[in-house]
Amino acid sequence: MFEQMAARYGTHGDLCAAFLQELPLDGAAISVFGGSAAETLMCASDATAARLDELQYDLGDGPRWDVFRTHLPVMIPDLGAPGVRSWPAFAEAAAMTNAQAFLVFPLLAGGLVIGVAELYCNAPRVLSPAQVNGATRLASRTAWTLLRGLMPGSESDSAGVPLARREIHQATGMVLVQTDSTAAEALQLLRGHAFASGRSLQDTASDVVSRRLDFTPTTGAAGTDSQ
């Protein structure tokens, strides 16, 4: 049932369905930022989930932008509470939907935010610490799944250029150390950053090797460019 609902909007309904199956939610949406998939709604379980996602994009206002900036989740247990006025345009528009609680989790892979998971409930709700941990775990798993699906599987932008490929391998090793990940995950992070920034894998690798780009996780930000 959840898979059928989540497939109504987008082509990755199984990703939205996972949140609905494991958490006490009424709807979910997943959006990806950056690159050729800029602001792409990957899935939404229903019209309300799709509308909450659309409102934030159209208005340029809402918790998703804070999540993207801070890499931290935003949980609004009651959309009618005064604190929601941090996003006045979104709060006013969201009041026209049937959502009463709204939670946004970053899709984090290493230090890279590739999008958000937007979750809602039809009644005010506070998730337990265990449920928050579960949502965080699901969001991370979703991020890696999307990275593997959205990123090219080959190094075509450096094919036939041995030195370029060598630099990509060197950068992969550096990211592996910075993020305490596997080689495969480090390469996916490189591809993800290239995808999100609209640059080639080779250019991204060059920035890592020259230490203009560092994926070491830090509080509130990681994988950022230094000038």
Side-chain angles (χ1 to χ4, degrees):
M1 178 183 70
F2 288 121
E3 288 84 353
Q4 292 174 343
M5 290 172 57
R8 287 186 61 193
Y9 300 85
T11 58
H12 292 70
D14 56 325
L15 299 179
C16 284
F19 286 90
L20 301 181
Q21 289 170 335
E22 296 194 25
L23 297 165
L25 305 168
D26 291 298
I30 291 173
S31 280
V32 169
F33 304 149
S36 60
E39 294 303 319
T40 297
L41 178 63
M42 305 306 293
C43 67
S45 60
D46 53 55
T48 298
R51 180 59 176 158
L52 290 168
D53 176 87
E54 181 183 47
L55 283 173
Q56 294 176 91
Y57 176 68
D58 289 353
L59 297 171
D61 184 51
R64 63 144 52 181
W65 306 115
D66 287 24
V67 170
F68 186 69
R69 177 175 52 83
T70 66
H71 296 196
L72 299 172
V74 171
M75 291 171 280
I76 307 171
D78 185 353
L79 279 168
V84 185
R85 297 304 165 183
S86 298
W87 310 283
F90 170 73
E92 182 177 353
M96 304 299 292
T97 74
N98 61 321
Q100 295 295 308
F102 192 49
L103 310 96
V104 184
F105 285 80
L107 300 183
L108 269 170
L112 179 68
V113 177
I114 68 166
V116 290
E118 300 160 318
L119 318 171
Y120 82 88
C121 303
N122 287 330
R125 181 164 299 154
V126 176
L127 295 186
S128 69
Q131 289 168 340
V132 171
N133 288 338
T136 301
R137 184 182 66 254
L138 280 172
S140 177
R141 189 172 74 193
T142 299
W144 284 108
T145 298
L146 288 171
L147 270 181
R148 286 190 291 268
L150 292 173
M151 301 307 110
S154 67
E155 296 165 12
S156 58
D157 54 350
S158 61
V161 187
L163 290 178
R165 183 165 294 182
R166 187 181 308 162
E167 192 168 42
I168 290 170
H169 291 319
Q170 182 181 354
T172 299
M174 293 174 67
V175 173
L176 181 154
V177 173
Q178 291 167 3
T179 61
D180 191 25
S181 61
T182 67
E185 290 170 342
L187 181 57
Q188 289 291 351
L189 287 173
L190 280 172
R191 287 178 172 145
H193 193 282
F195 174 81
S197 59
R199 305 177 69 212
S200 71
L201 178 59
Q202 170 57 35
D203 287 344
T204 302
S206 294
D207 282 353
V208 172
V209 172
S210 62
R211 303 189 185 280
R212 292 191 298 271
L213 176 63
D214 192 316
F215 284 81
T216 303
T218 57
T219 302
T224 55
D225 290 295
S226 58
Q227 301 299 324

